Amino acid sequence: MHAMQYEFTLPADYRMDVIRERVARTGHLLDDWAGLGLKAYLMRERGVHGSPVNQYAPFYLWNTVEGMNSFLFAGAFQRPTDDFGRPPVRQWTGLAYEEGGAGSDARVAVRRRRTVPDGVPPAEVAAEAVRETERLAAEYGAVLAAAAVDTSRWELVHFSLHAHDAPKAEGEVFQVLHLSAPGRARLPRGRQW
């Protein structure tokens, strides 16, 4: 499993209904993308859920590198870059994935990024990430939870989807506008090693 995210931070006075309408119009285009586990079309709106910014920030869990690369280099990624510019694309290697009990009706997502402290053995960090993923997935209203790491920066990311607006998870809260999940059932559960 590979995690990926890019962010378009928009002006404070940007009309976020433009993003809602865009996703309503085009979100279905990845509903059957080969190699995609899921794409959560995420948005933060200034003043909602404590967000200081307006932002469009889709988050992906990929089953295959080929699917991810096809998305990035075969044209689909060009549409948002034509409209908003080409952002840096963050990528993390999967550590853990768990399904929650709330099905597929995700309303909010929570993303928590943190740096792995120097001196802490990577095995401890990975084991804790697996436990946190299990805890997040077991919470009431959880749709799913995942953990991944970028070893070039030693950055850990926890990502979870929730069916209600008050998740018990720390991090930045995003509104979920659409969920494309053609390969969700094939995402490997549990720890990824």
Side-chain angles (χ1 to χ4, degrees):
M1 177 183 77
H2 303 279
M4 182 181 94
Q5 187 176 37
Y6 48 88
E7 302 168 341
F8 297 106
T9 300
L10 304 163
D13 61 351
Y14 191 85
R15 200 172 66 78
M16 294 306 285
D17 283 342
V18 171
I19 300 298
R20 287 182 185 89
E21 292 162 7
R22 176 190 186 92
V23 172
R25 189 177 64 255
T26 64
H28 71 280
L29 295 175
L30 293 185
D31 286 352
D32 61 356
W33 193 272
L36 177 62
L38 65 89
K39 174 182 181 179
Y41 293 77
L42 305 180
M43 179 182 87
R44 291 199 303 162
E45 191 167 9
R46 189 169 183 230
V48 177
H49 298 295
S51 177
V53 297
N54 287 329
Q55 195 172 63
Y56 175 53
F59 193 96
Y60 303 75
L61 293 175
W62 293 96
N63 282 317
T64 69
V65 172
E66 294 84 4
M68 180 174 66
N69 286 342
S70 177
F71 173 80
L72 289 170
F73 303 113
F77 184 59
Q78 193 61 47
R79 286 189 299 273
T81 60
D82 285 347
D83 292 340
F84 301 111
R86 186 173 57 197
V89 178
R90 292 184 174 156
Q91 295 181 30
W92 300 270
T93 301
L95 290 175
Y97 175 81
E98 295 291 346
E99 284 285 320
S104 295
D105 190 23
R107 293 185 52 152
V108 299
V110 179
R111 179 194 67 193
R112 180 177 171 219
R113 293 184 310 216
R114 64 182 177 91
T115 301
V116 175
D118 287 336
V120 178
E124 280 183 32
V125 171
E128 175 55 33
V130 170
R131 287 191 295 274
E132 179 65 3
T133 301
E134 291 168 348
R135 186 195 71 76
L136 288 169
E139 289 291 335
Y140 171 77
V143 174
L144 59 86
V149 65
D150 173 351
T151 55
S152 73
R153 298 184 316 178
W154 288 103
E155 178 185 66
L156 184 66
V157 64
H158 282 282
F159 176 75
S160 53
L161 295 176
H162 305 270
H164 56 78
D165 288 336
K168 291 183 180 177
E170 292 180 31
E172 298 163 305
V173 179
F174 296 82
Q175 299 168 54
V176 178
L177 303 178
H178 180 73
L179 188 64
S180 292
R184 179 176 167 188
R186 291 185 299 282
L187 286 167
R189 298 212 181 147
R191 72 177 208 174
Q192 308 287 306
W193 71 95

